[in-house]
Amino acid sequence: MVEPVACFVPPHVLDQLSGAADADLSDAARATLRTTAHLRAERSERKAGTGITRTGAAREVFDCRHAETPDNGVLIRGEGQPPVEDATVNRAYDALGVVRDFYREVLHRDSIDDSGRGLRAYVHFANRYNNAVWDGQQIKIGDGDGKVMRDLTYGLDVLGHELTHAMTAATANFEFRSQSGALDESVADVFGSLVRQWALRQTVDEADWLLGGSIFTPGIGLDAMRSMKAPGTAYDNKLVGKDPQPAHMKDYRALPETQQGDFGGVHINSGIPNRAFYLAATALGGHAWERAGRIWYEAVQVSTPRTRFADFAATTATTAARLYGPASTEHDAVAGAWEQVGVTGIVPA
Ligand SMILES: [Zn+2]
Protein backbone atom coordinates (compact mmCIF):
# COMPACT_ATOMS: atom_id res chain seq x y z
CA MET A 1 0.00 0.00 0.00
CA VAL A 2 1.17 3.51 -0.79
CA GLU A 3 1.68 5.48 2.42
CA PRO A 4 -0.45 8.60 2.52
CA VAL A 5 1.36 11.84 3.19
CA ALA A 6 -0.54 14.09 5.54
CA CYS A 7 -1.40 17.32 3.72
CA PHE A 8 -3.29 20.34 4.95
CA VAL A 9 -4.97 21.28 1.67
CA PRO A 10 -7.26 18.43 0.57
CA PRO A 11 -7.12 16.93 -2.94
CA HIS A 12 -10.65 18.07 -3.83
CA VAL A 13 -9.60 21.72 -3.54
CA LEU A 14 -6.55 21.12 -5.74
CA ASP A 15 -8.64 19.13 -8.26
CA GLN A 16 -11.00 22.07 -8.52
CA LEU A 17 -8.10 24.51 -9.00
CA SER A 18 -6.63 22.20 -11.67
CA GLY A 19 -9.63 23.06 -13.84
CA ALA A 20 -9.27 26.83 -13.43
CA ALA A 21 -9.28 28.91 -16.61
CA ASP A 22 -6.23 30.82 -15.34
CA ALA A 23 -3.24 28.71 -16.45
CA ASP A 24 -1.12 29.96 -13.53
CA LEU A 25 -3.63 28.47 -11.11
CA SER A 26 -4.26 25.21 -12.95
CA ASP A 27 -0.54 24.58 -13.51
CA ALA A 28 0.33 25.20 -9.86
CA ALA A 29 -2.50 22.94 -8.64
CA ARG A 30 -1.53 20.10 -11.00
CA ALA A 31 2.12 20.41 -10.02
CA THR A 32 1.11 20.31 -6.33
CA LEU A 33 -0.85 17.08 -6.84
CA ARG A 34 2.03 15.55 -8.82
CA THR A 35 4.68 16.51 -6.27
CA THR A 36 2.53 15.16 -3.43
CA ALA A 37 2.18 11.84 -5.27
CA HIS A 38 6.02 11.71 -5.48
CA LEU A 39 6.28 12.36 -1.73
CA ARG A 40 3.92 9.46 -1.15
CA ALA A 41 6.03 7.10 -3.25
CA GLU A 42 9.16 8.25 -1.41
CA ARG A 43 7.54 7.71 1.95
CA SER A 44 6.43 4.18 1.17
CA GLU A 45 10.00 3.29 0.16
CA ARG A 46 11.54 4.68 3.32
CA LYS A 47 11.79 2.67 6.49
CA ALA A 48 9.88 4.07 9.44
CA GLY A 49 11.94 5.91 12.00
CA THR A 50 14.92 6.71 9.79
CA GLY A 51 16.54 10.10 10.01
CA ILE A 52 14.96 11.07 13.32
CA THR A 53 17.09 13.37 15.44
CA ARG A 54 16.57 13.72 19.18
CA THR A 55 18.04 17.05 20.02
CA GLY A 56 16.11 18.56 22.91
CA ALA A 57 13.28 19.59 20.58
CA ALA A 58 15.61 21.97 18.74
CA ARG A 59 14.19 23.78 15.73
CA GLU A 60 15.83 23.81 12.31
CA VAL A 61 14.51 25.65 9.29
CA PHE A 62 15.89 24.76 5.89
CA ASP A 63 15.46 26.54 2.57
CA CYS A 64 14.64 24.13 -0.27
CA ARG A 65 15.18 26.87 -2.86
CA HIS A 66 12.18 25.45 -4.72
CA ALA A 67 13.69 21.99 -5.12
CA GLU A 68 11.61 18.91 -4.44
CA THR A 69 14.51 17.12 -2.81
CA PRO A 70 14.99 18.48 0.70
CA ASP A 71 18.36 16.71 0.82
CA ASN A 72 19.59 19.77 -1.02
CA GLY A 73 17.95 22.12 1.47
CA VAL A 74 20.21 24.58 3.21
CA LEU A 75 19.96 25.13 6.97
CA ILE A 76 19.13 28.81 7.41
CA ARG A 77 18.17 29.12 11.05
CA GLY A 78 18.82 26.72 13.91
CA GLU A 79 17.66 26.79 17.52
CA GLY A 80 18.60 29.97 19.36
CA GLN A 81 19.90 31.76 16.28
CA PRO A 82 18.73 35.32 15.61
CA PRO A 83 16.13 36.18 12.97
CA VAL A 84 17.33 36.08 9.37
CA GLU A 85 16.41 38.18 6.36
CA ASP A 86 13.89 35.68 4.96
CA ALA A 87 10.54 36.31 6.71
CA THR A 88 9.29 32.86 5.67
CA VAL A 89 12.11 31.21 7.60
CA ASN A 90 11.37 33.34 10.67
CA ARG A 91 7.63 32.62 10.52
CA ALA A 92 8.29 28.87 10.33
CA TYR A 93 10.82 29.08 13.17
CA ASP A 94 8.40 31.01 15.39
CA ALA A 95 5.47 28.73 14.60
CA LEU A 96 7.48 25.60 15.43
CA GLY A 97 8.32 27.25 18.76
CA VAL A 98 4.68 28.02 19.57
CA VAL A 99 3.60 24.47 18.74
CA ARG A 100 6.43 23.03 20.82
CA ASP A 101 5.56 25.32 23.77
CA PHE A 102 1.88 24.42 23.51
CA TYR A 103 2.65 20.71 23.69
CA ARG A 104 5.12 21.24 26.53
CA GLU A 105 3.15 23.68 28.70
CA VAL A 106 -0.42 22.57 28.06
CA LEU A 107 -0.10 18.84 27.43
CA HIS A 108 3.22 18.22 29.23
CA ARG A 109 4.55 16.53 26.14
CA ASP A 110 8.26 16.81 25.30
CA SER A 111 8.06 17.60 21.58
CA ILE A 112 5.94 15.68 19.12
CA ASP A 113 7.22 12.24 20.12
CA ASP A 114 7.43 13.01 23.88
CA SER A 115 11.18 12.34 23.69
CA GLY A 116 12.48 15.73 22.63
CA ARG A 117 12.52 15.06 18.93
CA GLY A 118 14.00 17.92 16.89
CA LEU A 119 11.57 19.90 14.74
CA ARG A 120 12.49 20.44 11.13
CA ALA A 121 10.73 22.60 8.58
CA TYR A 122 11.65 22.87 4.91
CA VAL A 123 10.34 26.10 3.44
CA HIS A 124 10.12 27.26 -0.19
CA PHE A 125 9.44 23.62 -1.05
CA ALA A 126 8.95 22.98 -4.81
CA ASN A 127 7.50 25.58 -7.13
CA ARG A 128 4.33 27.45 -6.16
CA TYR A 129 3.46 24.44 -4.03
CA ASN A 130 -0.05 24.84 -2.59
CA ASN A 131 0.36 22.77 0.52
CA ALA A 132 2.12 21.98 3.78
CA VAL A 133 2.82 18.31 4.44
CA TRP A 134 4.13 16.09 7.20
CA ASP A 135 5.99 13.36 5.34
CA GLY A 136 6.79 11.22 8.36
CA GLN A 137 10.04 13.05 9.15
CA GLN A 138 9.63 16.77 8.62
CA ILE A 139 7.29 19.49 7.47
CA LYS A 140 7.58 20.68 3.90
CA ILE A 141 5.96 24.02 3.24
CA GLY A 142 5.14 25.58 -0.11
CA ASP A 143 4.95 29.22 -1.13
CA GLY A 144 1.47 28.81 -2.63
CA ASP A 145 0.49 29.79 -6.16
CA GLY A 146 0.49 33.47 -5.13
CA LYS A 147 -3.00 34.06 -6.47
CA VAL A 148 -5.37 31.91 -4.38
CA MET A 149 -2.93 30.66 -1.78
CA ARG A 150 0.05 32.40 -0.30
CA ASP A 151 3.07 31.20 1.64
CA LEU A 152 1.67 28.55 3.98
CA THR A 153 3.98 29.57 6.84
CA TYR A 154 1.34 32.26 7.51
CA GLY A 155 -0.80 29.53 9.06
CA LEU A 156 0.16 28.87 12.67
CA ASP A 157 -2.84 26.52 12.80
CA VAL A 158 -1.58 24.85 9.61
CA LEU A 159 1.81 24.09 11.19
CA GLY A 160 0.07 23.02 14.41
CA HIS A 161 -2.07 20.68 12.32
CA GLU A 162 0.93 19.18 10.51
CA LEU A 163 3.04 18.63 13.64
CA THR A 164 0.05 17.03 15.35
CA HIS A 165 0.18 14.36 12.63
CA ALA A 166 3.57 13.46 14.11
CA MET A 167 2.01 13.25 17.59
CA THR A 168 -0.79 10.94 16.42
CA ALA A 169 1.72 8.84 14.44
CA ALA A 170 3.68 8.34 17.67
CA THR A 171 0.55 7.40 19.67
CA ALA A 172 -2.72 6.12 18.16
CA ASN A 173 -1.09 5.81 14.73
CA PHE A 174 -4.52 6.00 13.07
CA GLU A 175 -4.68 4.32 9.66
CA PHE A 176 -4.93 7.18 7.18
CA ARG A 177 -8.15 6.06 5.50
CA SER A 178 -11.90 6.37 6.00
CA GLN A 179 -13.00 6.83 9.64
CA SER A 180 -9.63 6.30 11.33
CA GLY A 181 -8.08 8.69 8.78
CA ALA A 182 -10.82 11.26 9.33
CA LEU A 183 -10.06 11.02 13.07
CA ASP A 184 -6.38 11.66 12.30
CA GLU A 185 -7.37 14.73 10.28
CA SER A 186 -9.80 15.89 12.93
CA VAL A 187 -7.32 15.53 15.80
CA ALA A 188 -4.81 17.51 13.70
CA ASP A 189 -7.43 20.25 13.20
CA VAL A 190 -8.38 20.22 16.90
CA PHE A 191 -4.80 20.79 18.09
CA GLY A 192 -4.00 23.10 15.15
CA SER A 193 -6.91 25.27 16.26
CA LEU A 194 -5.99 24.96 19.95
CA VAL A 195 -2.40 26.04 19.26
CA ARG A 196 -3.72 29.25 17.70
CA GLN A 197 -6.36 29.79 20.41
CA TRP A 198 -3.69 29.29 23.08
CA ALA A 199 -1.22 31.67 21.36
CA LEU A 200 -3.96 34.32 21.26
CA ARG A 201 -5.31 33.36 24.72
CA GLN A 202 -8.81 33.13 23.28
CA THR A 203 -11.85 31.76 25.04
CA VAL A 204 -14.22 29.41 23.20
CA ASP A 205 -16.42 32.40 22.39
CA GLU A 206 -13.57 34.52 21.07
CA ALA A 207 -12.15 31.77 18.84
CA ASP A 208 -13.31 31.67 15.21
CA TRP A 209 -12.97 27.85 14.99
CA LEU A 210 -11.65 28.19 11.43
CA LEU A 211 -8.62 26.40 10.00
CA GLY A 212 -6.30 27.81 7.39
CA GLY A 213 -7.80 31.31 7.39
CA SER A 214 -4.46 32.96 6.81
CA ILE A 215 -3.17 30.89 3.89
CA PHE A 216 -5.53 32.40 1.33
CA THR A 217 -4.38 35.49 -0.51
CA PRO A 218 -6.02 38.57 1.00
CA GLY A 219 -8.81 39.86 -1.21
CA ILE A 220 -9.58 36.49 -2.81
CA GLY A 221 -12.79 36.23 -0.76
CA LEU A 222 -11.93 32.98 0.98
CA ASP A 223 -12.14 32.84 4.77
CA ALA A 224 -10.85 29.40 5.62
CA MET A 225 -10.24 25.82 4.53
CA ARG A 226 -12.40 24.26 7.24
CA SER A 227 -14.84 25.35 9.92
CA MET A 228 -15.13 23.30 13.11
CA LYS A 229 -18.15 25.28 14.22
CA ALA A 230 -20.08 24.86 10.98
CA PRO A 231 -18.46 22.21 8.75
CA GLY A 232 -19.53 22.66 5.12
CA THR A 233 -19.57 26.47 5.28
CA ALA A 234 -15.85 27.37 5.17
CA TYR A 235 -15.94 28.38 1.49
CA ASP A 236 -18.18 28.57 -1.53
CA ASN A 237 -16.31 30.05 -4.41
CA LYS A 238 -16.07 29.44 -8.15
CA LEU A 239 -12.31 28.91 -7.99
CA VAL A 240 -12.15 26.33 -5.23
CA GLY A 241 -15.73 25.03 -5.21
CA LYS A 242 -17.86 24.47 -2.14
CA ASP A 243 -16.76 23.09 1.23
CA PRO A 244 -17.95 19.43 1.18
CA GLN A 245 -17.62 18.68 4.90
CA PRO A 246 -20.57 17.05 6.66
CA ALA A 247 -21.48 18.23 10.16
CA HIS A 248 -23.53 15.15 11.10
CA MET A 249 -23.30 11.38 10.65
CA LYS A 250 -26.40 11.35 8.44
CA ASP A 251 -24.35 13.17 5.78
CA TYR A 252 -21.25 10.93 6.10
CA ARG A 253 -19.58 10.53 2.69
CA ALA A 254 -18.52 7.00 1.75
CA LEU A 255 -15.69 7.59 -0.75
CA PRO A 256 -13.07 5.32 -2.35
CA GLU A 257 -9.76 4.96 -0.51
CA THR A 258 -7.73 6.55 -3.33
CA GLN A 259 -6.02 9.94 -3.65
CA GLN A 260 -8.97 11.12 -5.72
CA GLY A 261 -11.39 9.87 -3.07
CA ASP A 262 -9.31 11.61 -0.39
CA PHE A 263 -8.52 8.14 1.02
CA GLY A 264 -12.14 7.63 1.99
CA GLY A 265 -12.83 11.31 2.64
CA VAL A 266 -10.33 11.85 5.44
CA HIS A 267 -10.41 15.66 4.99
CA ILE A 268 -14.18 15.55 4.39
CA ASN A 269 -15.71 13.38 7.10
CA SER A 270 -13.38 14.95 9.67
CA GLY A 271 -16.08 17.64 9.83
CA ILE A 272 -18.14 15.33 12.05
CA PRO A 273 -15.59 14.79 14.88
CA ASN A 274 -14.45 18.41 14.43
CA ARG A 275 -17.93 19.65 15.26
CA ALA A 276 -18.17 17.22 18.19
CA PHE A 277 -15.05 18.83 19.66
CA TYR A 278 -16.41 22.33 19.06
CA LEU A 279 -19.71 21.39 20.78
CA ALA A 280 -17.96 19.80 23.77
CA ALA A 281 -15.58 22.76 24.17
CA THR A 282 -18.29 25.41 23.90
CA ALA A 283 -20.56 23.52 26.31
CA LEU A 284 -17.71 23.69 28.84
CA GLY A 285 -16.76 27.31 28.10
CA GLY A 286 -13.52 29.08 29.03
CA HIS A 287 -10.31 27.96 27.33
CA ALA A 288 -10.85 24.97 25.07
CA TRP A 289 -7.36 23.58 25.66
CA GLU A 290 -7.84 23.22 29.42
CA ARG A 291 -10.53 20.54 29.61
CA ALA A 292 -11.84 19.55 26.15
CA GLY A 293 -8.30 19.60 24.73
CA ARG A 294 -6.95 17.53 27.58
CA ILE A 295 -9.74 14.94 27.22
CA TRP A 296 -9.13 14.63 23.45
CA TYR A 297 -5.38 14.38 23.95
CA GLU A 298 -5.67 11.63 26.57
CA ALA A 299 -8.17 9.78 24.37
CA VAL A 300 -5.70 9.81 21.44
CA GLN A 301 -3.05 8.22 23.70
CA VAL A 302 -5.24 5.14 24.20
CA SER A 303 -6.63 4.90 20.66
CA THR A 304 -5.41 2.44 18.02
CA PRO A 305 -4.88 2.39 14.23
CA ARG A 306 -8.38 1.00 13.61
CA THR A 307 -10.27 3.32 15.97
CA ARG A 308 -13.51 4.52 14.38
CA PHE A 309 -15.80 7.43 15.26
CA ALA A 310 -17.96 5.51 17.77
CA ASP A 311 -14.87 4.04 19.46
CA PHE A 312 -13.28 7.46 19.79
CA ALA A 313 -16.53 8.96 21.07
CA ALA A 314 -16.68 6.26 23.76
CA THR A 315 -13.00 6.79 24.63
CA THR A 316 -13.41 10.55 25.04
CA ALA A 317 -16.46 9.98 27.26
CA THR A 318 -14.70 7.43 29.48
CA THR A 319 -11.61 9.67 29.58
CA ALA A 320 -13.77 12.59 30.75
CA ALA A 321 -15.30 10.34 33.41
CA ARG A 322 -11.86 9.17 34.56
CA LEU A 323 -10.44 12.69 34.75
CA TYR A 324 -13.45 14.57 36.11
CA GLY A 325 -15.90 11.96 37.42
CA PRO A 326 -18.69 9.91 35.82
CA ALA A 327 -21.42 12.41 36.69
CA SER A 328 -19.28 15.44 35.82
CA THR A 329 -20.18 18.38 33.57
CA GLU A 330 -17.19 17.35 31.44
CA HIS A 331 -18.50 13.83 30.84
CA ASP A 332 -21.96 15.10 29.97
CA ALA A 333 -20.61 17.79 27.63
CA VAL A 334 -18.54 15.22 25.73
CA ALA A 335 -21.29 12.58 25.52
CA GLY A 336 -23.83 15.23 24.50
CA ALA A 337 -21.54 16.59 21.78
CA TRP A 338 -21.18 13.20 20.04
CA GLU A 339 -24.92 12.63 20.29
CA GLN A 340 -25.57 15.96 18.56
CA VAL A 341 -23.44 14.93 15.55
CA GLY A 342 -25.16 11.54 15.33
CA VAL A 343 -22.31 9.40 16.63
CA THR A 344 -24.11 7.10 19.02
CA GLY A 345 -23.39 3.96 20.95
CA ILE A 346 -21.37 5.64 23.71
CA VAL A 347 -21.09 3.31 26.67
CA PRO A 348 -22.28 4.79 29.96
CA ALA A 349 -19.47 6.05 32.17
ZN1 LIG B 1 -3.78 16.68 7.89
Side-chain angles (χ1 to χ4, degrees):
M1 179 188 161
V2 178
E3 281 271 342
V5 166
C7 310
F8 183 80
V9 178
H12 54 84
V13 168
L14 295 165
D15 281 341
Q16 184 79 21
L17 282 171
S18 301
D22 181 338
D24 281 350
L25 288 181
S26 54
D27 289 353
R30 281 193 208 115
T32 299
L33 287 164
R34 219 169 28 238
T35 302
T36 308
H38 290 163
L39 292 178
R40 249 175 221 124
E42 267 173 38
R43 178 169 186 180
S44 58
E45 278 169 22
R46 201 171 49 218
K47 285 199 183 73
T50 54
I52 293 173
T53 49
R54 292 205 164 73
T55 50
R59 292 167 283 181
E60 287 178 314
V61 183
F62 295 80
D63 184 352
C64 290
R65 299 175 171 175
H66 306 290
E68 294 186 17
T69 44
D71 297 347
N72 301 331
V74 181
L75 177 63
I76 304 292
R77 190 173 173 195
E79 186 65 45
Q81 292 178 346
V84 294
E85 217 168 291
D86 185 347
T88 299
V89 169
N90 297 329
R91 266 195 303 274
Y93 180 89
D94 291 343
L96 292 180
V98 174
V99 178
R100 184 185 60 187
D101 292 348
F102 170 84
Y103 271 102
R104 186 178 284 160
E105 291 173 30
V106 177
L107 301 170
H108 310 293
R109 186 178 182 84
D110 181 14
S111 189
I112 47 182
D113 62 348
D114 206 15
S115 301
R117 179 173 175 171
L119 301 174
R120 279 186 182 167
Y122 285 78
V123 301
H124 303 305
F125 174 69
N127 263 311
R128 299 189 301 149
Y129 188 66
N130 267 341
N131 226 331
V133 307
W134 170 256
D135 73 352
Q137 294 190 313
Q138 60 238 334
I139 298 185
K140 291 168 178 163
I141 308 163
D143 293 334
D145 57 39
K147 287 191 172 176
V148 171
M149 274 176 243
R150 61 175 177 171
D151 183 339
L152 280 92
T153 58
Y154 278 104
L156 172 60
D157 52 355
V158 173
L159 271 66
H161 173 111
E162 291 306 321
L163 283 174
T164 297
H165 278 306
M167 182 277 281
T168 59
T171 53
N173 196 21
F174 296 116
E175 285 183 3
F176 204 66
R177 58 189 184 87
S178 297
Q179 286 198 20
S180 53
L183 281 171
D184 200 40
E185 273 307 310
S186 174
V187 168
D189 276 353
V190 163
F191 291 101
S193 177
L194 289 183
V195 162
R196 191 158 67 95
Q197 291 179 32
W198 178 74
L200 299 170
R201 297 299 188 269
Q202 289 176 326
T203 64
V204 293
D205 300 318
E206 289 161 347
D208 61 14
W209 297 97
L210 298 173
L211 271 299
S214 48
I215 63 171
F216 289 114
T217 306
I220 197 82
L222 284 159
D223 293 336
M225 195 62 78
R226 289 183 282 279
S227 167
M228 298 180 70
K229 180 179 183 173
T233 68
Y235 56 87
D236 186 0
N237 174 288
K238 64 178 183 341
L239 281 173
V240 298
K242 189 181 178 312
D243 178 2
Q245 284 208 312
H248 191 281
M249 235 11 224
K250 68 177 164 41
D251 299 315
Y252 183 87
R253 300 267 305 275
L255 291 161
E257 292 178 348
T258 59
Q259 172 163 311
Q260 200 137 51
D262 189 25
F263 298 98
V266 297
H267 294 88
I268 295 174
N269 294 311
S270 55
I272 297 165
N274 273 1
R275 181 155 160 81
F277 181 82
Y278 161 80
L279 290 169
T282 47
L284 291 171
H287 292 135
W289 59 85
E290 286 173 3
R291 288 179 289 165
R294 180 162 176 228
I295 293 164
W296 251 244
Y297 176 71
E298 300 272 335
V300 170
Q301 310 308 305
V302 292
S303 294
T304 70
R306 297 276 175 97
T307 295
R308 292 163 58 86
F309 288 3
D311 309 318
F312 192 68
T315 305
T316 53
T318 51
T319 301
R322 176 172 61 78
L323 294 172
Y324 302 100
S328 61
T329 317
E330 289 79 4
H331 171 268
D332 294 352
V334 170
W338 288 107
E339 212 174 287
Q340 286 179 73
V341 299
V343 176
T344 50
I346 295 183
V347 292

